[in-house]
């Protein structure tokens, strides 16, 4: 992994020991950028299972931009994590940029998001087996991001990574516990409950939760709360394979 720049180390030291480190990093990034952006920070709790949570959303576009990616399971953040590369989508009307996440692009534009820039960072020597952080910048107009803003955003996601590494080591099955917001924790609790009730893997349970949220036109987090706190039971997934077709 490339060592962080000194600016990132200084940023991490500035926010160490404070409550809500992700929110502080997001707010600091937004104020330091020269352009007008909203800032979201996403953590992939398990890259193999694609379980992602939003750690912060700062600015008018970030909350919806983050929620759409989690609800749909696609978007620049997801692509950045899967490919381990920056995704600089400077115009969501460009089909060449959005062909891997057309539903996200359509819904994001409906909420006045016209450009998204996703900057990933991964922990550990084997990125494919580790969780990853991604910082997303959302903008209401198309156009490229400046080099200065790109460097500023990268310094902030590097700082967030250093803060996460310095957090108390959580249990193996709860990698993000030190940073998760209560609303995000409900998603992971719901995945566990659905896995148990329906004898599914974690990725299958997440897919079922997302499919039901999409069918009901409801937010993924709201549905997770209903599963966890209101004892909502989702319908069984449709059978697959030759035996299920009978």
């Amino acid at each position: 992994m490339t060592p962080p720049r000194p600016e990132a180390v200084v940023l991490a030291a500035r926010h160490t020991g404070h409550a809500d480190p992700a929110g502080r990093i997001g707010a600091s990034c937004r104020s330091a950028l020269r352009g007008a952006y909203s800032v979201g920070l996403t953590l992939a709790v398990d890259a193999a299972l694609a379980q992602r949570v939003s750690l912060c959303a700062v600015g008018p576009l970030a909350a919806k931009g983050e929620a759409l990616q989690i609800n749909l399971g696609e978007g620049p953040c997801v692509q950045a994590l899967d490919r381990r590369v920056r995704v600089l989508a400077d115009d969501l009307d460009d089909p060449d940029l959005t062909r891997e996440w057309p539903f996200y692009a359509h819904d994001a534009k409906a909420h006045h998001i016209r450009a998204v820039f996703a900057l990933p960072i991964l922990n550990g020597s084997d990125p494919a087996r580790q969780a990853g952080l991604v910082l997303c910048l959302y903008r209401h107009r198309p156009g490229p991001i400046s080099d200065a803003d790109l460097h500023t955003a990268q310094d902030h996601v590097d700082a967030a990574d250093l803060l996460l590494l310095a957090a108390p080591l959580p249990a193996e099955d709860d990698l993000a516990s030190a940073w998760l917001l209560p609303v995000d924790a409900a998603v992971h609790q719901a995945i566990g409950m659905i896995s148990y009730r329906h004898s599914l893997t974690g990725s299958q349970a997440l897919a079922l939760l997302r499919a039901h949220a999409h069918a009901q036109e409801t937010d993924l987090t709201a549905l997770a709360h209903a599963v966890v706190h209101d004892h909502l039971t989702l319908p069984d997934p449709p059978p697959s394979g030759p035996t299920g077709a009978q």
Side-chain angles (χ1 to χ4, degrees):
M1 185 173 67
T2 304
R5 298 200 311 165
E7 291 86 346
V9 178
V10 172
L11 280 168
R14 185 182 304 162
H15 298 292
T16 298
H18 292 278
D20 187 18
R24 289 176 62 92
I25 286 289
S28 171
C29 181
R30 188 172 186 239
S31 65
L33 294 168
R34 299 181 183 181
Y37 298 90
S38 296
V39 179
L41 186 64
T42 298
L43 173 67
V45 178
D46 183 335
L49 295 181
Q51 297 180 20
R52 301 173 174 89
V53 291
S54 175
L55 298 176
C56 81
V58 183
L61 303 178
K64 181 54 67 174
E66 295 284 288
L68 283 174
Q69 299 198 77
I70 292 172
N71 288 355
L72 295 172
E74 67 170 45
C77 169
V78 179
Q79 184 180 350
L81 275 171
D82 289 344
R83 302 287 178 82
R84 279 79 177 173
V85 295
R86 291 175 175 175
V87 177
L88 307 181
D90 56 14
D91 187 353
L92 297 192
D93 278 325
D94 184 343
D96 290 333
L97 293 175
T98 64
R99 63 180 178 272
E100 294 193 24
W101 28 273
F103 295 107
Y104 177 83
H106 176 271
D107 290 356
K109 287 187 293 182
H111 292 280
H112 311 292
I113 299 171
R114 298 297 307 279
V116 185
F117 307 94
L119 285 67
I121 188 167
L122 300 174
N123 302 323
S125 58
D126 186 359
R129 301 179 64 86
Q130 298 293 330
L133 281 169
V134 177
L135 186 143
C136 280
L137 303 179
Y138 302 92
R139 199 172 58 199
H140 70 280
R141 59 177 178 81
I145 184 173
S146 69
D147 288 341
D149 280 344
L150 198 59
H151 285 305
T152 295
Q154 190 66 58
D155 285 340
H156 280 80
V157 73
D158 286 346
D161 183 55
L162 292 172
L163 285 171
L164 186 61
L165 289 174
L169 187 64
E172 184 177 354
D173 60 348
D174 191 15
L175 183 58
S177 62
W179 277 32
L180 283 184
L181 300 173
V183 66
D184 293 322
V187 175
H188 295 278
Q189 292 172 338
I191 289 170
M193 294 173 69
I194 295 167
S195 296
Y196 176 78
R197 290 172 180 170
H198 299 275
S199 299
L200 300 173
T201 66
S203 58
Q204 290 170 335
L206 178 59
L208 180 61
L209 189 67
R210 280 183 171 142
H212 193 72
H214 181 72
Q216 298 297 318
E217 297 185 346
T218 188
D219 182 74
L220 187 75
T221 301
L223 180 61
H225 269 276
V227 171
V228 174
H229 300 294
D230 300 332
H231 307 293
L232 174 68
T233 299
L234 301 186
D236 287 324
S240 60
T243 57
Q246 296 176 355

